[in-house]
Each structure stands twice: as structure tokens, then as C-alpha cells.
Amino acid sequence: MTGTSGTGQRKTNHPEPSRFPELFFGLIGPAGTDLKIVFKILRKALIEVGYRVPKQEIRLSKLIEELLGVDFSSLPHDKRVDDLMNEGTRIREVAGNGGAVALLALAGIDKIRRSEFQDSAERNAYILHSLKHPDEVEALRNIYGRFFFAISAYAPRESRVDSLAAKITKSKHLNSTGARAEAERLIEKDESEAGKSLGQDVKDAFPRADLFVDVTDKEQLERNIKRFVELIFGHPFHTPTRDEFGMYHARSAALRSADLARQVGASIASSECDLIAVGCNDVPKAGGGLYWVGDKPDGRDFHLGRDASNEQREQTLAEILGRFKDHGLLRDKNVDIKQLVSSLLTGKEKNVLKGTQILGLIEFGRSVHAEMAAIIDASRRGVPVKAATLYTTTFPCHLCARHIIAAGIDRVVYIEPYPKSKARDFYSDSIVVDPAKHTVGRIRFEPFVGVAPRQYMEIFDMPSPDSRKDDSGRIVDWPKSDHRPRFRQYGTTHTFMEKQIIREFIPELAKKLGLNSALFHESS
């Protein structure tokens, strides 16, 4: 839009970004994790920078009940949790959309914006409790972009079992043994619901966070959340911790991998986080190291067109089933072994073997694992790794664990869990996983706490050249009175997306579920 000033000069009016765009936070925590304390601390930190936050978080479990027109609050705790898990899975399956439950939250956000914030889309922050599927995280990122932040909360498994068992015992008057067994079952279901691609899947949602926190240390939890909020608002003097620096390099190394299954990265650093070596999972080459793009020849798996591990899995299964057939141990003596193997691995019967040991075989891949690659890289250059810390994007497998132990690594920090790993079972004499307190004589495998590598470049980048000192060279004061997020937003396109989903997706979902969505729409 242009115009003419009083002096006759043409004047250009540029669109101005919102000074105080809305912010959205999604909490992720395995069953038994205390997310209430995360909400309380996060809300306080956001209010301190001048944002409005509803007194209550937007609970996806409550929105499930509202959509279905049910109330599970009077049920025993384990029954309520189980029913909510089942209904959440049913909603995702009926919708054919892993993010379906998170999309219900848009109605809750719209309702709060209209009723509490007078339809204003500035200086508002919303906190969602809690995300249970990786597609939910991605759905919210697609809608809110860089203004959505996922926070994953860690608590040791044993303390989560204790917490959940105590609630079950209180609500049901069970003995502690029965309650613990039920708590274990629910926690396993929450982590990864067997046989259901759209079921509970906190295991895969957890590593997609922008911030990782530990709820077992309240003081550290407060510092980490307050620091993260201040970073979002452009604090110029918060710099990376040692662990954030080490994990960023591990994630950076992972991006080099062309492995057909996943990208894993590792870095090894001294106690002062001096970088010793990095590695990723990929195919080794003659002369040392791994293949780089542009190498000739390039022997990576994607050039061969087939994963050797998958081939070996097929051959192993075919061999076992063939022996069964030869010895009359199969009900159908005329079964085609090749077709049966195909059906079990990739066809309609693939859920039969899901989670079994044979699908967990990792010994036959051609790639060097990231942790091994980092250790070998250091050894090729004659750099000692004894007493160092190894950062890895994924929990080490049992093959890597034995190399980590033998190399003298003192500490391992990881983000993503790896269910196939037998490290804890095989090497309990040498390692301790997720220790509640400091241990001596064993290698500590600890979950990563801090700003996620995916946010490292943007959130630690100095906001502007003048953000740390004024023209005279004096340090600027922070906080400033006009806290503004470091990110800018033009317009409020997210509100239009919300309304479209509320008008179209939710009614269609309700129809597929055989429900009338009018009540949910009115209450939301």
C-alpha cells in the first residue's frame, strides 16, 4: 500500500508483524509423570514476561470425554486411564489421522480466546496436556509453526510406576502388588500400544520435543523452563550448556547418515565438552571412515537398493518356517513359505510378529553404528576417550554398549529410547540406566535435559547486533519492559485454520464416530 506525504514524496506502508504473537505449548510425558508441576512453572514463567495464560491447561483427555459425551472421572484410576487410552486410539483410527486428538484442542483454544481474551490474538499463551502420538506434535507444528513448542518431561520409570500405582491403590483399594502390576501394564501401553499404528505412542512422541526437562528436581525444572521462556523472548546472555553443545553435534552428525532405517548421530566430548570425535550410522569404506557423498565408488545401501538387514531377516524367518514345514510342524502342509514370510513381514499378517525378537535383530546391517563410528574415529586419530561423555541421539544398542564399556567412556547421554537394545539386561554389571542418584563404578546412561538440537541454531542465535550492548559499549539490561518473542508473525492465519478444522474436521469425525458434535461445538 502506497501514498503521498505532505512534502510530495511517495511513502510506502509495509505490513507490520505482530509484536506479541500467540504462543502454544504441548506437554509430553509418559504415564505416571507429574505434568501438573510443569504446567504450573511454565505458566508462571510466561506471566512474568507479560503473557496471559489460562488458569487451567487444555486437557486432551477432557476434550475426548466432551466429544464422546462421557465422563470417566468417577471410575477407578486405572480404569479411567485405560478407557481414555482406548478412546484416544479409537478416535485416531476412525479419523485415519494420528493427530486427530490434538486437533480437538483447537476447539478448546478457540473457546478460551473468545471467552477469556475477548477474541484478541495477542499476548496469549496456551498449554496443552498431554500429547501421546508423534503425529499430534507434527499436526500442531503444521498449524502454529515456530510458535508451537513441545516440552517432554522425564521421570525415572520406577518413580512413574510408584506414582501410578499409588493413585490406583487409592482409587481402588487394591493391595500394592496388584496396583504395581496394573501400573506397569498401563505404562507399557502408553509407551507403545502393541499392534496399533495409531495407538498410544509416547515413545516416538517424546524425542520430538523442543525442550527436555526432568521433573524429579524441582529447582532445576524451574531454572530450565524459565530459561527456555526467556530464550524464546530473546534473552541475549543465555548460551548453550555443555550437554546442549554435545547433543547438537551428535544431531548434526546424524544428518550425514543415508542409512535406510534411521539417522543416528553421536559425539564424544571431554568433561569440559572439548569435542573429541563424531560419528553417524552408515556404511564403512576401505581406508577408514564412512562413505561421503561424492565418493567413487559409493557403496552405501541406497545405491544397492536393498537393506541387508531386511534380507537377512527374511532368510532367517524362511529358514525356520521351512524347517517347520519339512518336519510337519505347520498346520497347512502345502503352505507357500515365500508368501507366508512376505505376509508376516510386510503383508496383512505383519502385526503377528510385531515386537518379537526376530524383528529386533540388528546384527546383520552393513552400517557402522554411530557410537561405534565415533569411538573408531577417535582411535584412528590416536585420541583417548577414557572418562569422556558420549552424546547420542538414540539410546545405544547392546552392540554399541559393549564398545562404550571397553573404551572407558564415563557417561552416556541420549534422547530417543531404543526398545531393541538389550544393553541394560546384558551389562547391568557395568552400566546403570537413568540413575536416581550418582553412582560409582558403573557408566551412567542418562536422558538428555535441555534445549533440543532442533531449536539450537535459532534459539541461541544472538537476536540482533545491538541486543547485548548499547552504543557506548555498556551491557544492556534484561529483562526489558517490552518483552517480545524473538520470532515474528505476519497476520493470524492460524485462527483461520482453527476455525476450518472446528467447522469441518470435528463434525466429520463425530459423524464417523456416530455422534452429534453440536454439544461439543457449543461447549468449545
mmCIF file of all heavy atoms in Angstrom, residues 377-410:
data_model
loop_
_atom_site.group_PDB
_atom_site.id
_atom_site.type_symbol
_atom_site.label_atom_id
_atom_site.label_comp_id
_atom_site.label_asym_id
_atom_site.label_seq_id
_atom_site.Cartn_x
_atom_site.Cartn_y
_atom_site.Cartn_z
ATOM 1 N N ASP A 377 36.570 -43.397 15.134
ATOM 2 C CA ASP A 377 37.143 -42.145 14.625
ATOM 3 C C ASP A 377 38.223 -41.636 15.568
ATOM 4 O O ASP A 377 39.318 -41.220 15.124
ATOM 5 C CB ASP A 377 36.039 -41.104 14.457
ATOM 6 C CG ASP A 377 36.569 -39.745 14.012
ATOM 7 O OD1 ASP A 377 37.332 -39.706 13.029
ATOM 8 O OD2 ASP A 377 36.224 -38.737 14.649
ATOM 9 N N ALA A 378 37.931 -41.671 16.877
ATOM 10 C CA ALA A 378 38.925 -41.215 17.859
ATOM 11 C C ALA A 378 40.151 -42.128 17.855
ATOM 12 O O ALA A 378 41.297 -41.649 17.906
ATOM 13 C CB ALA A 378 38.293 -41.179 19.247
ATOM 14 N N SER A 379 39.934 -43.439 17.754
ATOM 15 C CA SER A 379 41.062 -44.376 17.800
ATOM 16 C C SER A 379 41.938 -44.249 16.557
ATOM 17 O O SER A 379 43.165 -44.366 16.640
ATOM 18 C CB SER A 379 40.546 -45.812 17.942
ATOM 19 O OG SER A 379 39.915 -46.264 16.763
ATOM 20 N N ARG A 380 41.345 -43.989 15.388
ATOM 21 C CA ARG A 380 42.131 -43.828 14.155
ATOM 22 C C ARG A 380 43.074 -42.644 14.266
ATOM 23 O O ARG A 380 44.154 -42.631 13.674
ATOM 24 C CB ARG A 380 41.204 -43.631 12.956
ATOM 25 C CG ARG A 380 40.589 -44.895 12.413
ATOM 26 C CD ARG A 380 39.920 -44.688 11.056
ATOM 27 N NE ARG A 380 38.886 -43.654 11.076
ATOM 28 C CZ ARG A 380 38.928 -42.552 10.345
ATOM 29 N NH1 ARG A 380 39.947 -42.312 9.563
ATOM 30 N NH2 ARG A 380 37.940 -41.680 10.400
ATOM 31 N N ARG A 381 42.635 -41.621 15.008
ATOM 32 C CA ARG A 381 43.450 -40.409 15.147
ATOM 33 C C ARG A 381 44.273 -40.409 16.431
ATOM 34 O O ARG A 381 44.953 -39.434 16.738
ATOM 35 C CB ARG A 381 42.542 -39.177 15.109
ATOM 36 C CG ARG A 381 41.872 -38.994 13.743
ATOM 37 C CD ARG A 381 41.019 -37.743 13.675
ATOM 38 N NE ARG A 381 39.796 -37.836 14.464
ATOM 39 C CZ ARG A 381 39.563 -37.201 15.603
ATOM 40 N NH1 ARG A 381 40.490 -36.417 16.114
ATOM 41 N NH2 ARG A 381 38.422 -37.351 16.239
ATOM 42 N N GLY A 382 44.192 -41.506 17.198
ATOM 43 C CA GLY A 382 45.002 -41.631 18.404
ATOM 44 C C GLY A 382 44.577 -40.723 19.539
ATOM 45 O O GLY A 382 45.406 -40.326 20.368
ATOM 46 N N VAL A 383 43.272 -40.400 19.608
ATOM 47 C CA VAL A 383 42.779 -39.515 20.663
ATOM 48 C C VAL A 383 42.072 -40.357 21.734
ATOM 49 O O VAL A 383 41.126 -41.084 21.421
ATOM 50 C CB VAL A 383 41.789 -38.474 20.098
ATOM 51 C CG1 VAL A 383 41.343 -37.508 21.192
ATOM 52 C CG2 VAL A 383 42.402 -37.732 18.938
ATOM 53 N N PRO A 384 42.504 -40.289 22.980
ATOM 54 C CA PRO A 384 41.875 -41.118 24.027
ATOM 55 C C PRO A 384 40.456 -40.654 24.352
ATOM 56 O O PRO A 384 40.150 -39.462 24.300
ATOM 57 C CB PRO A 384 42.805 -40.929 25.226
ATOM 58 C CG PRO A 384 43.474 -39.609 24.997
ATOM 59 C CD PRO A 384 43.623 -39.499 23.510
ATOM 60 N N VAL A 385 39.590 -41.605 24.672
ATOM 61 C CA VAL A 385 38.204 -41.288 25.046
ATOM 62 C C VAL A 385 37.900 -41.706 26.481
ATOM 63 O O VAL A 385 36.760 -41.576 26.938
ATOM 64 C CB VAL A 385 37.201 -41.965 24.082
ATOM 65 C CG1 VAL A 385 37.391 -41.462 22.664
ATOM 66 C CG2 VAL A 385 37.320 -43.493 24.143
ATOM 67 N N LYS A 386 38.876 -42.200 27.199
ATOM 68 C CA LYS A 386 38.663 -42.636 28.567
ATOM 69 C C LYS A 386 38.147 -41.485 29.425
ATOM 70 O O LYS A 386 38.654 -40.362 29.344
ATOM 71 C CB LYS A 386 39.955 -43.191 29.169
ATOM 72 C CG LYS A 386 39.786 -43.825 30.551
ATOM 73 C CD LYS A 386 41.074 -44.462 31.006
ATOM 74 C CE LYS A 386 40.944 -45.052 32.412
ATOM 75 N NZ LYS A 386 39.909 -46.104 32.486
ATOM 76 N N ALA A 387 37.112 -41.756 30.198
ATOM 77 C CA ALA A 387 36.477 -40.794 31.114
ATOM 78 C C ALA A 387 35.707 -39.690 30.379
ATOM 79 O O ALA A 387 35.318 -38.690 30.986
ATOM 80 C CB ALA A 387 37.504 -40.171 32.059
ATOM 81 N N ALA A 388 35.477 -39.864 29.078
ATOM 82 C CA ALA A 388 34.736 -38.860 28.308
ATOM 83 C C ALA A 388 33.233 -39.122 28.380
ATOM 84 O O ALA A 388 32.776 -40.148 28.900
ATOM 85 C CB ALA A 388 35.193 -38.882 26.853
ATOM 86 N N THR A 389 32.457 -38.172 27.851
ATOM 87 C CA THR A 389 30.996 -38.312 27.744
ATOM 88 C C THR A 389 30.638 -38.563 26.284
ATOM 89 O O THR A 389 31.156 -37.890 25.397
ATOM 90 C CB THR A 389 30.283 -37.040 28.240
ATOM 91 O OG1 THR A 389 30.506 -36.893 29.644
ATOM 92 C CG2 THR A 389 28.774 -37.138 27.999
ATOM 93 N N LEU A 390 29.767 -39.531 26.065
ATOM 94 C CA LEU A 390 29.279 -39.807 24.714
ATOM 95 C C LEU A 390 27.832 -39.334 24.616
ATOM 96 O O LEU A 390 26.993 -39.715 25.430
ATOM 97 C CB LEU A 390 29.375 -41.297 24.391
ATOM 98 C CG LEU A 390 28.996 -41.693 22.957
ATOM 99 C CD1 LEU A 390 29.865 -42.860 22.473
ATOM 100 C CD2 LEU A 390 27.526 -42.094 22.833
ATOM 101 N N TYR A 391 27.568 -38.470 23.643
ATOM 102 C CA TYR A 391 26.211 -37.988 23.374
ATOM 103 C C TYR A 391 25.672 -38.736 22.159
ATOM 104 O O TYR A 391 26.352 -38.827 21.129
ATOM 105 C CB TYR A 391 26.220 -36.481 23.092
ATOM 106 C CG TYR A 391 26.710 -35.654 24.262
ATOM 107 C CD1 TYR A 391 28.052 -35.305 24.372
ATOM 108 C CD2 TYR A 391 25.830 -35.240 25.253
ATOM 109 C CE1 TYR A 391 28.501 -34.554 25.448
ATOM 110 C CE2 TYR A 391 26.265 -34.487 26.339
ATOM 111 C CZ TYR A 391 27.612 -34.153 26.425
ATOM 112 O OH TYR A 391 28.060 -33.418 27.497
ATOM 113 N N THR A 392 24.475 -39.259 22.271
ATOM 114 C CA THR A 392 23.893 -39.983 21.157
ATOM 115 C C THR A 392 22.414 -39.648 21.022
ATOM 116 O O THR A 392 21.717 -39.480 22.029
ATOM 117 C CB THR A 392 24.087 -41.508 21.308
ATOM 118 O OG1 THR A 392 23.430 -42.186 20.242
ATOM 119 C CG2 THR A 392 23.550 -42.008 22.639
ATOM 120 N N THR A 393 21.964 -39.513 19.789
ATOM 121 C CA THR A 393 20.566 -39.143 19.563
ATOM 122 C C THR A 393 19.607 -40.279 19.914
ATOM 123 O O THR A 393 18.436 -40.031 20.155
ATOM 124 C CB THR A 393 20.353 -38.727 18.096
ATOM 125 O OG1 THR A 393 20.759 -39.794 17.234
ATOM 126 C CG2 THR A 393 21.155 -37.480 17.773
ATOM 127 N N THR A 394 20.115 -41.516 19.940
ATOM 128 C CA THR A 394 19.293 -42.675 20.263
ATOM 129 C C THR A 394 20.010 -43.546 21.286
ATOM 130 O O THR A 394 21.228 -43.740 21.203
ATOM 131 C CB THR A 394 18.994 -43.505 19.000
ATOM 132 O OG1 THR A 394 18.335 -42.679 18.045
ATOM 133 C CG2 THR A 394 18.107 -44.697 19.305
ATOM 134 N N PHE A 395 19.272 -44.090 22.234
ATOM 135 C CA PHE A 395 19.847 -44.965 23.269
ATOM 136 C C PHE A 395 20.683 -46.056 22.606
ATOM 137 O O PHE A 395 20.247 -46.694 21.660
ATOM 138 C CB PHE A 395 18.717 -45.590 24.089
ATOM 139 C CG PHE A 395 19.182 -46.365 25.287
ATOM 140 C CD1 PHE A 395 19.265 -45.754 26.522
ATOM 141 C CD2 PHE A 395 19.536 -47.701 25.183
ATOM 142 C CE1 PHE A 395 19.695 -46.465 27.639
ATOM 143 C CE2 PHE A 395 19.969 -48.422 26.279
ATOM 144 C CZ PHE A 395 20.050 -47.801 27.514
ATOM 145 N N PRO A 396 21.903 -46.300 23.100
ATOM 146 C CA PRO A 396 22.790 -47.276 22.448
ATOM 147 C C PRO A 396 22.228 -48.702 22.466
ATOM 148 O O PRO A 396 21.627 -49.133 23.455
ATOM 149 C CB PRO A 396 24.073 -47.197 23.283
ATOM 150 C CG PRO A 396 24.036 -45.853 23.919
ATOM 151 C CD PRO A 396 22.586 -45.592 24.197
ATOM 152 N N CYS A 397 22.445 -49.405 21.369
ATOM 153 C CA CYS A 397 22.084 -50.822 21.328
ATOM 154 C C CYS A 397 23.100 -51.607 22.150
ATOM 155 O O CYS A 397 24.129 -51.079 22.583
ATOM 156 C CB CYS A 397 22.061 -51.316 19.878
ATOM 157 S SG CYS A 397 23.704 -51.459 19.142
ATOM 158 N N HIS A 398 22.842 -52.896 22.350
ATOM 159 C CA HIS A 398 23.741 -53.715 23.154
ATOM 160 C C HIS A 398 25.092 -53.931 22.464
ATOM 161 O O HIS A 398 26.101 -54.155 23.128
ATOM 162 C CB HIS A 398 23.099 -55.065 23.487
ATOM 163 C CG HIS A 398 22.376 -55.701 22.347
ATOM 164 N ND1 HIS A 398 21.099 -55.328 21.996
ATOM 165 C CD2 HIS A 398 22.737 -56.667 21.480
ATOM 166 C CE1 HIS A 398 20.711 -56.057 20.956
ATOM 167 N NE2 HIS A 398 21.680 -56.865 20.621
ATOM 168 N N LEU A 399 25.101 -53.856 21.126
ATOM 169 C CA LEU A 399 26.376 -53.983 20.415
ATOM 170 C C LEU A 399 27.264 -52.775 20.707
ATOM 171 O O LEU A 399 28.465 -52.913 20.949
ATOM 172 C CB LEU A 399 26.138 -54.096 18.908
ATOM 173 C CG LEU A 399 25.230 -55.234 18.433
ATOM 174 C CD1 LEU A 399 25.126 -55.224 16.912
ATOM 175 C CD2 LEU A 399 25.758 -56.573 18.913
ATOM 176 N N CYS A 400 26.666 -51.588 20.677
ATOM 177 C CA CYS A 400 27.432 -50.374 20.975
ATOM 178 C C CYS A 400 27.807 -50.294 22.452
ATOM 179 O O CYS A 400 28.882 -49.785 22.801
ATOM 180 C CB CYS A 400 26.630 -49.141 20.574
ATOM 181 S SG CYS A 400 26.481 -48.929 18.786
ATOM 182 N N ALA A 401 26.914 -50.787 23.313
ATOM 183 C CA ALA A 401 27.158 -50.703 24.761
ATOM 184 C C ALA A 401 28.469 -51.385 25.135
ATOM 185 O O ALA A 401 29.241 -50.878 25.957
ATOM 186 C CB ALA A 401 25.995 -51.319 25.522
ATOM 187 N N ARG A 402 28.734 -52.545 24.516
ATOM 188 C CA ARG A 402 29.961 -53.253 24.902
ATOM 189 C C ARG A 402 31.202 -52.498 24.443
ATOM 190 O O ARG A 402 32.243 -52.531 25.121
ATOM 191 C CB ARG A 402 29.938 -54.678 24.360
ATOM 192 C CG ARG A 402 29.925 -54.844 22.861
ATOM 193 C CD ARG A 402 29.579 -56.294 22.504
ATOM 194 N NE ARG A 402 29.606 -56.550 21.073
ATOM 195 C CZ ARG A 402 28.992 -57.581 20.508
ATOM 196 N NH1 ARG A 402 28.303 -58.433 21.256
ATOM 197 N NH2 ARG A 402 29.065 -57.772 19.208
ATOM 198 N N HIS A 403 31.109 -51.791 23.310
ATOM 199 C CA HIS A 403 32.235 -50.974 22.863
ATOM 200 C C HIS A 403 32.406 -49.740 23.752
ATOM 201 O O HIS A 403 33.531 -49.317 24.027
ATOM 202 C CB HIS A 403 32.035 -50.548 21.408
ATOM 203 C CG HIS A 403 32.170 -51.670 20.430
ATOM 204 N ND1 HIS A 403 31.177 -52.592 20.215
ATOM 205 C CD2 HIS A 403 33.210 -52.031 19.618
ATOM 206 C CE1 HIS A 403 31.577 -53.466 19.303
ATOM 207 N NE2 HIS A 403 32.794 -53.152 18.924
ATOM 208 N N ILE A 404 31.311 -49.158 24.180
ATOM 209 C CA ILE A 404 31.349 -47.998 25.070
ATOM 210 C C ILE A 404 32.023 -48.371 26.391
ATOM 211 O O ILE A 404 32.875 -47.636 26.906
ATOM 212 C CB ILE A 404 29.919 -47.465 25.318
ATOM 213 C CG1 ILE A 404 29.377 -46.802 24.037
ATOM 214 C CG2 ILE A 404 29.888 -46.487 26.483
ATOM 215 C CD1 ILE A 404 27.895 -46.495 24.081
ATOM 216 N N ILE A 405 31.654 -49.545 26.906
ATOM 217 C CA ILE A 405 32.247 -50.014 28.165
ATOM 218 C C ILE A 405 33.741 -50.253 27.983
ATOM 219 O O ILE A 405 34.573 -49.786 28.783
ATOM 220 C CB ILE A 405 31.549 -51.310 28.637
ATOM 221 C CG1 ILE A 405 30.078 -51.040 28.976
ATOM 222 C CG2 ILE A 405 32.270 -51.904 29.841
ATOM 223 C CD1 ILE A 405 29.237 -52.293 29.109
ATOM 224 N N ALA A 406 34.102 -50.971 26.920
ATOM 225 C CA ALA A 406 35.504 -51.318 26.690
ATOM 226 C C ALA A 406 36.370 -50.090 26.419
ATOM 227 O O ALA A 406 37.561 -50.079 26.735
ATOM 228 C CB ALA A 406 35.608 -52.300 25.526
ATOM 229 N N ALA A 407 35.767 -49.042 25.828
ATOM 230 C CA ALA A 407 36.531 -47.836 25.501
ATOM 231 C C ALA A 407 36.811 -46.967 26.721
ATOM 232 O O ALA A 407 37.653 -46.063 26.659
ATOM 233 C CB ALA A 407 35.788 -47.018 24.453
ATOM 234 N N GLY A 408 36.112 -47.204 27.820
ATOM 235 C CA GLY A 408 36.339 -46.408 29.033
ATOM 236 C C GLY A 408 35.513 -45.148 29.111
ATOM 237 O O GLY A 408 35.807 -44.247 29.912
ATOM 238 N N ILE A 409 34.468 -45.048 28.279
ATOM 239 C CA ILE A 409 33.552 -43.903 28.363
ATOM 240 C C ILE A 409 32.963 -43.852 29.769
ATOM 241 O O ILE A 409 32.615 -44.871 30.355
ATOM 242 C CB ILE A 409 32.419 -44.032 27.316
ATOM 243 C CG1 ILE A 409 32.980 -44.054 25.894
ATOM 244 C CG2 ILE A 409 31.380 -42.937 27.480
ATOM 245 C CD1 ILE A 409 33.538 -42.762 25.404
ATOM 246 N N ASP A 410 32.833 -42.649 30.312
ATOM 247 C CA ASP A 410 32.372 -42.492 31.690
ATOM 248 C C ASP A 410 30.867 -42.233 31.806
ATOM 249 O O ASP A 410 30.245 -42.568 32.809
ATOM 250 C CB ASP A 410 33.143 -41.328 32.343
ATOM 251 C CG ASP A 410 32.832 -41.205 33.831
ATOM 252 O OD1 ASP A 410 33.033 -42.183 34.560
ATOM 253 O OD2 ASP A 410 32.380 -40.122 34.243
#
